[in-house]
Structure formats: structure tokens, C-alpha cells
Amino acid sequence: MTTTKLDLTGLKCPLPALKTRKALKSVLPGNFLEVHCTDPLSAIDIPNLIRETGDKVEITERGDTRIVFLIEKAESSAAQD
């Protein structure tokens, strides 16, 4: 298993969700995508995106200035783009 890191600090809605969706396309099933965001709305947008894709997400860090998501790519995503 590998973890790909995606730094989206400084980006505002809707860019964190859009860039996360794009990055997930290159993550192999069973691997992880670690996403770093500073936009407070990403705490809503990214979990909603992951609900659509069928992957798994966990907020591993949530502070005043940063939110870190750990997304596990599902064996077969519900959304095929």
C-alpha cells in the first residue's frame, strides 16, 4: 500500500473537492490519498465527494488552520469517470 500526498493548502471551494476527485483517478485500489486543506468548507465537500465515489475517508487532523483527510481507494469505486 502506498500513500500519495496532495497539498491543497490555500485553495478555496470548490477547488479542493475538484482536485481531490482528479487525484483519486490515479490512485490504485487499496492505496491512500492524503489531502491537506485549509478551506473550512472542505470538511463538508470532500466527505460528500467520497460518499459519491464509494471510497473511504477519515479526517486525521482538524485544527484552526488545517484539515487533513486520509482517503482509501475502494476496490471498485461507485463512480466511473
Side-chain angles (χ1 to χ4, degrees), residues 2 4 20 22-33 71-74 77:
T2 62
T4 303
T20 298
K22 184 176 180 181
L24 275 171
K25 291 179 183 180
S26 64
V27 176
L28 296 174
N31 289 336
F32 294 89
L33 179 64
I71 302 167
E72 181 180 359
K73 182 75 170 190
S77 290

Side-chain angles (χ1 to χ4, degrees), residues 3 15 20:
T3 300
L15 289 175
T20 298

Side-chain angles (χ1 to χ4, degrees), residues 44-55:
I44 298 167
D45 294 340
I46 290 180
N48 284 338
L49 164 69
I50 300 308
R51 241 186 313 280
E52 292 175 15
T53 64
D55 301 313

Side-chain angles (χ1 to χ4, degrees), residues 1 17 20 29 31 34 39 42 45 52 59 63 65 67 71 75 79:
M1 285 188 257
T20 298
N31 289 336
E34 183 178 288
D39 183 7
S42 65
D45 294 340
E52 292 175 15
I59 296 177
T65 58
I67 304 168
I71 302 167
E75 288 302 319

